[in-house]
Amino acid sequence: MELVYLDHAATSPLHPQVIKEMFEVYEGNFGNPSSIHQVGRKARQAIDDSRRKIASYLGVKEHTLIFTSGGTEADNLAIIGYALANSTKGKHIITTSIEHHAVLHACQELEKRGFEVTYLPVNKAGQISVDELKAALRDETILVTVMFGNNEVGTVQPIAEISQILQGHQAVFHTDAVQACGLVELNIPELGVDLLSITAHKINGPKGIGLLYVRDGITLLPTLFGGEQERKRRAGTENVAGVVGFAKAIELSYENMAKKNEQYKSFSQRFFDILVESRLTFYYNGHQEQRLPHIFNVSFPGVNVESMLVNLDMEGISASSGSACTAGSIDPSHVLVAMHPEEREQYASALRFSFGLNNTLEQVEYAAHKTVEIVRRLKQDKPFIE
């Protein structure tokens, strides 16, 4: 049975060219970049070259990039690091109700430390209102953090518009662009953000490496203490192979961005068409136009989502509910609950299919037809149980 992996929004397979470059580091470039001898200098050169390459794609200077262990650390460093370093300016933060937990939990931690956080609601398409953001701004607001594209439904937020709203205000603007990276050209000067987080494992790079862009003049309190790596902003011996793999993954994603976008849009459309042709009752979740092309989120009222995932897995199809599995039960997605608070059957029966490297149209068609079969079977077996 062929494995059909449709959970690329969770993580993605390593690209063969990324593996090749990383292997060369593992095999012959083992030095500590902080060492001054030639073995250490060789490792330092690999990091410098990779940082320069990534900076060129993002449209920024090399020194504005801090390598981290991933998107979660980058988000935490941006949010907690900025808030603690600038608390004398105010203690109010604005975010949204559909952020990744790396952002939400960081904000909740700051609330425990005496900060006040406003969580903006979203409409049924998953977008915030810029007018509500304007209304939430205060003189003491020091940080606004709004994700670029949602990891569960793919909805894209008006990032450039938000940055314009914040012009002239003391609040700095952070965006979690983890899910958008590799599918949207992240030209940071054009976006106008002050802080931006991305990670490698969503774009066919390695796990354990991410980065935070920090605009010149922004002060952060480090969240790790030890050595003086990353210009004293992030202690710890650098992950040389990870950095090199990250740079290669960025390069490959930018080279093939337009092609990937069109391919993933066609996958989403074909999946949608098969569901329509089946005459099943289903709901499409997310914005139909302002969205990341690789995420396809749908709900099947009357179907237990955990049973759906198990049955899909038995057919060799890897998908996701976008929710946290704990102790054999699945909690509803906080994103879908925020989008459809009064429509339990919609938020409690949502599935996320996300496309990426090595997926084919034939695989997508197979997954769609199997989804139809399983939904029909489960709806006949027993009614939806709360």
Side-chain angles (χ1 to χ4, degrees):
M1 179 175 60
E2 179 188 11
L3 175 65
V4 179
Y5 184 74
L6 300 180
D7 200 17
H8 294 263
T11 195
S12 62
L14 281 170
H15 194 286
Q17 293 184 46
V18 172
I19 295 173
K20 180 177 180 294
E21 295 215 2
M22 291 182 68
F23 183 76
E24 290 174 359
V25 175
Y26 285 127
E27 189 175 48
N29 195 356
F30 62 86
N32 187 319
S34 297
S35 300
I36 62 173
H37 47 63
Q38 58 183 298
V39 177
R41 293 199 305 273
K42 182 180 179 183
R44 171 59 56 195
Q45 187 64 50
I47 290 178
D48 290 344
D49 290 345
S50 297
R51 195 191 307 269
R52 190 174 302 112
K53 179 187 290 186
I54 296 173
S56 69
Y57 283 110
L58 299 179
V60 298
K61 297 178 180 178
E62 303 98 278
H63 70 267
T64 61
L65 303 182
I66 304 174
F67 287 117
T68 67
S69 63
T72 293
E73 186 190 344
D75 285 341
N76 273 251
L77 179 57
I79 295 166
I80 296 177
Y82 185 80
L84 295 183
N86 295 274
S87 60
T88 57
K89 299 177 182 178
K91 288 195 171 186
H92 180 238
I93 296 165
I94 298 173
T95 189
T96 83
S97 57
I98 62 165
E99 296 295 308
H100 189 278
H101 283 120
V103 169
L104 291 178
H105 290 169
C107 288
Q108 290 164 10
E109 174 61 27
L110 286 173
E111 287 181 296
K112 296 175 184 176
R113 303 189 191 191
F115 288 80
E116 184 181 355
V117 181
T118 296
Y119 297 90
L120 298 174
V122 295
N123 60 23
K124 291 185 182 299
Q127 285 187 324
I128 65 166
S129 161
V130 292
D131 288 335
E132 289 185 353
L133 188 148
K134 285 181 186 177
L137 275 174
R138 310 174 188 170
D139 291 342
E140 64 269 25
T141 305
I142 59 169
L143 174 68
V144 174
T145 175
V146 177
M147 73 189 328
F148 194 112
N150 187 263
N151 55 301
E152 293 192 28
V153 298
T155 297
V156 171
Q157 302 296 339
I159 300 300
E161 188 176 352
I162 294 171
S163 69
Q164 285 296 317
I165 290 171
L166 296 176
Q167 292 297 314
H169 194 283
Q170 72 161 353
V172 302
F173 185 21
H174 166 254
T175 187
D176 176 338
V178 163
Q179 205 61 238
C181 183
L183 293 161
V184 177
E185 189 169 344
L186 298 174
N187 186 297
I188 291 176
E190 291 181 3
L191 291 175
V193 297
D194 303 297
L195 300 155
L196 179 142
S197 306
I198 57 176
T199 194
H201 77 102
K202 307 289 188 179
I203 56 170
N204 309 116
K207 296 176 180 64
I209 186 72
L211 68 78
L212 175 66
Y213 160 75
V214 183
R215 180 179 56 78
D216 280 335
I218 299 265
T219 301
L220 302 176
L221 185 69
T223 53
L224 295 175
F225 299 91
E228 298 187 351
Q229 293 88 354
E230 296 299 295
R231 295 174 180 264
K232 301 182 181 181
R233 300 172 298 186
R234 197 272 182 184
T237 302
E238 297 92 339
N239 178 358
V240 182
V243 169
V244 170
F246 195 178
K248 187 62 179 180
I250 286 276
E251 176 187 332
L252 292 168
S253 68
Y254 270 73
E255 286 178 354
N256 300 302
M257 193 176 293
K259 181 180 178 181
K260 285 192 302 183
N261 270 269
E262 288 307 310
Q263 183 183 45
Y264 301 157
K265 285 177 184 176
S266 71
F267 288 170
S268 293
Q269 187 62 56
R270 184 61 183 136
F271 208 126
F272 182 86
D273 289 344
I274 289 172
L275 294 181
V276 171
E277 291 162 8
S278 74
R279 298 186 178 181
L280 284 179
T281 298
F282 72 95
Y283 299 104
Y284 172 81
N285 298 314
H287 201 288
Q288 294 190 11
E289 296 176 356
Q290 296 169 35
R291 55 183 287 267
L292 301 175
H294 69 306
I295 294 178
F296 182 70
N297 192 303
V298 284
S299 296
F300 299 99
V303 175
N304 181 285
V305 68
E306 190 170 9
S307 297
M308 265 304 293
L309 290 173
V310 170
N311 277 266
L312 285 169
D313 190 42
M314 292 172 65
E315 298 289 351
I317 301 164
S318 301
S320 170
S321 66
S323 308
C325 281
T326 53
S329 64
I330 296 183
D331 296 327
S333 155
H334 71 282
V335 174
L336 271 296
V337 170
M339 291 167 60
H340 307 283
E342 305 300 325
E343 297 155 5
R344 190 184 192 285
E345 282 206 340
Q346 186 163 350
Y347 68 66
S349 63
L351 290 175
R352 181 188 69 186
F353 300 90
S354 48
F355 315 117
L357 183 68
N358 299 325
N359 284 151
T360 65
L361 183 59
E362 290 74 22
Q363 288 181 333
V364 172
E365 290 176 336
Y366 169 78
H369 286 300
K370 285 297 180 182
T371 298
V372 171
E373 289 180 18
I374 294 167
V375 168
R376 283 178 173 157
R377 184 169 68 246
L378 292 178
K379 292 189 80 167
Q380 288 174 354
D381 285 347
K382 56 185 177 180
F384 179 77
I385 300 175
E386 292 196 18

